[in-house]
Amino acid sequence: MPDGTLLLTGRGRLLTPRPYDGPGPWAIFVRDGLFAWVGPLADAPAADSTVDLGTALVTPGLVDAHTHPAFAGDRSDEAAARLEGAAYSGGGILRTVAATRAASDDDLRALTGARLRASLASGVTTIECKSGYGLSTGEELRALQLIGEAADGLPIRVVRTFLGAHAVPPEAASSAEYAAVVADEMIPAVAAAGLAEFCDVFCDRGFFSPEDAERILRAAAAAGLGIRMHADQLARTGATELAVRLGAVSADHLEQLDDAGVATLAASRTVATLLPGPALVMRDRMPPARALLDAGVTVALASDANAGTFGAWGAMPLVIGLGATLLGMTVADAVGAATAGGAAALGLTGRRGVIAEGADADLVAWDAEHEGAFALYLGAARPSRTWIGGREVSG
Ligand SMILES: [Zn+2]
């Protein structure tokens, strides 16, 4: 906990995530690691120290609600082959599984830590991290443990998700048989060890059926884990409807979502987490962001940084830019989706992703004066200064 109170002041754009509407220069009072007051500088309380951020654009710390950092190996050759016309079969995930199983604890921890540091340097202050390249009880527990160890000593806040159902491992006889192992053996072990807050399933054509996914996610909920899903990325399987029926906090991807799926989400509290990075790299269709927003669905933007379909760590500024340029979102909506939206996708509404009283004091001042920079700089907007829990972590 930082010592004393802090007053951050500025006269530029302040997105809370909605633009601050004055009057005049603004001030943010920080106490005990939380935002304690936000308002006009003229009304600000006195603090032990003051930092003037001048005319910089200021946003909440970014929340990247979908990443896969715990892996070894390199599949850039596969990306090139895919762009030359090879079909995405998902067999590539098993290549990463083999490389990850072969990696030492030290190597896997170091690789994961480097990805977390790249994310932090890009303005991400909360990041969701999935397992899913181990696909055995021991390897999945190891990945979750090493994510935790990689995060130790780094200021970035990590939320862990168990994704044992990312692919069917080569040694399993069928997806149903493996789903039973995930539900009956892995989930109790993960929950008992306290290694994850959420459980996710890759429910899609060629991966896990809605039946397999339901079995796994019901076991997860019974074990006290929150649930989220990879849904309707490759084919319209009904995964989104299952996510809503099971009360998942988030349905992620949604490239193939249709009007009926939009309506289903609109009638639920499930967040739509959109991932334009892999859709772009895979030359896939983009998820229907505009229709989701117009229907009143809470939308998050996340990177889906992973081993095989989007390898860019530290790319959340680009993802916001893609939200505005490819998904038809306003830039302010895109920033909101990467802050408050990401927080909603992690069940952290009001605690992260907003500059408002009672939220964790996670904040970024950017090397730009307006959120339009996320579109104009397209991936190159960078933090100039970052605070997490009221403590400056760079600059
Ligand atoms: Zn993913």
Side-chain angles (χ1 to χ4, degrees), residues 29 33 120 166 204 209 214 220 225 256 260-261 333 356 369 384:
F29 185 68
L120 176 62
H166 191 196
D204 218 316
S209 67
E214 181 163 358
L225 298 175
Q256 310 302 327
D333 277 345
E369 297 195 345
S384 50

Side-chain angles (χ1 to χ4, degrees), residues 66-68 130 163 166 200 230 233 253 275 304-306:
H66 186 136
T67 81
H68 304 251
K130 303 177 196 293
L163 179 59
H166 191 196
D200 191 347
H230 284 66
Q233 176 191 10
H253 274 290
L275 314 166
D304 192 22
N306 71 80

Side-chain angles (χ1 to χ4, degrees), residues 107-184:
D107 286 350
L108 198 50
R109 188 188 306 107
L111 287 163
T112 303
R115 291 165 186 144
L116 296 180
R117 282 193 296 278
S119 297
L120 176 62
S122 72
V124 174
T125 54
T126 296
I127 185 168
E128 187 257 18
C129 296
K130 303 177 196 293
S131 66
Y133 293 116
L135 308 187
S136 71
T137 303
E139 286 290 329
E140 287 293 309
L141 291 172
R142 181 170 84 111
L144 292 167
Q145 175 73 33
L146 291 174
I147 291 167
E149 292 177 12
D152 277 350
L154 293 177
I156 193 168
R157 304 178 192 270
V158 169
V159 175
R160 285 179 291 184
T161 294
F162 165 64
L163 179 59
H166 191 196
V168 179
E171 60 272 16
S174 68
S175 66
E177 178 197 282
Y178 179 64
V181 173
V182 173
D184 300 341

